[in-house]
Amino acid sequence: MFLDQLAAHGIDRAHLIVPGSVIDLDRSACTVTHPSAAAATAPFADNKAEYLRQYQRDWAPWLASEKAGWGRPGHDLVAELAAWFEPLLEQAPITSAGVAGHVVLDTGAAETDVCIDFVESTVRTWKGEPYVYKLDVDRALLETLVDDHVEDWVNSLLLSCRFTTAHREGPFNEFVLTFFKALSPERMAYVEQCHRTARSRTDEFFERDGWRIERWCPHRQADLSRFGEIDDGVLTCSLHHWRFDLATGRCLTSDDRHLRAERLTPE
Ligand code: FES
């Protein structure tokens, strides 16, 4: 139906692809070969439930052998993840400020539950603190990701839905996903540079309480339209509690930072 719809709108270069189809590209030509005639029609037959059950049966042995390869005991998960992730958190102020909370990996065993603290840039055992995201994960899978030093957990843990359950407080947070996709210094440097470039292009400000204020905190790039609190001409960023005098832009917490701000209305 979709191909028919495209054709009705003059798009005649679309192709049907099913699991197992092979696509040959030769300059302007595209040839698609399906594993069999039946394979090309089965997903669209009336009994879709049976098709999906058969698909599940076909892949069950492969899934079982994958799972049998999980679990490399002998890891101190919290300590090893701390050694791995903490330098990345230090390297990622924009990502950290975008998460601005705890992400928990819940293995179901108190001593291996992991809390990634994006405010303090630390990784420690989770003691039940509130979280932004919590993923219930098979400890054996975590051990495998650590053992193989997998640098992109989005594919290995999230997109393939290998976690058991996901919980989140508040809206979807893309910074969490980006973090788990960038688990090496090179990947994280790239991600942070992309964020910096996007922000430098916009040079954003926001307005509050008669002030026009630079949007990104000079400390670790928190969104001040979300985390900034103004009291008596002083803006406090609630992420790490740095304070700025709005009239001068002077940072009252550290010497070498400055916040751009101007009064919109006369005093
Ligand atoms: S990001 Fe640390 S105080 Fe604002």
Side-chain angles (χ1 to χ4, degrees), residues 97 217-222 224 237-244:
C217 178
H219 176 221
R220 298 199 77 195
Q221 304 289 309
L224 291 175
C237 172
S238 62
L239 206 54
H240 307 99
H241 307 288
W242 279 32
R243 299 166 67 242
F244 299 87

Side-chain angles (χ1 to χ4, degrees), residues 157-219:
L157 177 66
L158 302 174
L159 288 188
S160 51
C161 291
R162 291 179 182 182
F163 60 92
T164 318
T165 323
H167 316 254
R168 77 171 192 232
E169 298 292 329
F172 172 77
N173 188 317
E174 67 171 289
F175 290 98
V176 174
L177 258 70
T178 312
F179 176 78
F180 283 118
K181 214 169 170 48
L183 298 175
S184 71
E186 297 73 23
R187 283 170 177 252
M188 193 56 78
Y190 176 76
V191 165
E192 288 287 305
Q193 185 55 42
C194 288
H195 287 316
R196 269 193 294 276
T197 305
R199 286 187 181 177
S200 65
R201 271 194 225 112
T202 53
D203 206 13
E204 288 173 77
F205 287 76
F206 69 103
E207 295 179 6
R208 183 173 304 158
D209 295 358
W211 293 91
R212 181 172 180 270
I213 304 165
E214 180 179 358
R215 181 164 173 193
W216 311 107
C217 178
H219 176 221

Side-chain angles (χ1 to χ4, degrees), residues 4 16 32 61 68-69 90 104 120 126 156 164 169-170 173-174 180 193 195 221 226 251 266:
D4 290 346
L16 175 70
V32 178
E90 284 294 338
V104 171
E120 300 294 336
W126 182 52
S156 306
T164 318
E169 298 292 329
N173 188 317
E174 67 171 289
F180 283 118
Q193 185 55 42
H195 287 316
Q221 304 289 309
R226 188 175 148 208
C251 180

Side-chain angles (χ1 to χ4, degrees), residues 71-75 77 138-148:
R72 324 260 174 84
H75 287 279
L77 279 178
D138 186 335
R139 175 192 170 141
L141 176 56
L142 269 190
E143 287 168 348
T144 305
L145 295 175
V146 169
D147 205 53
D148 292 344

Side-chain angles (χ1 to χ4, degrees), residues 15-18 20-26 29-35:
H15 294 270
L16 175 70
I17 308 292
V18 295
S21 297
V22 175
I23 306 165
D24 284 310
L25 296 173
D26 178 17
C30 171
T31 312
V32 178
T33 310
H34 302 304

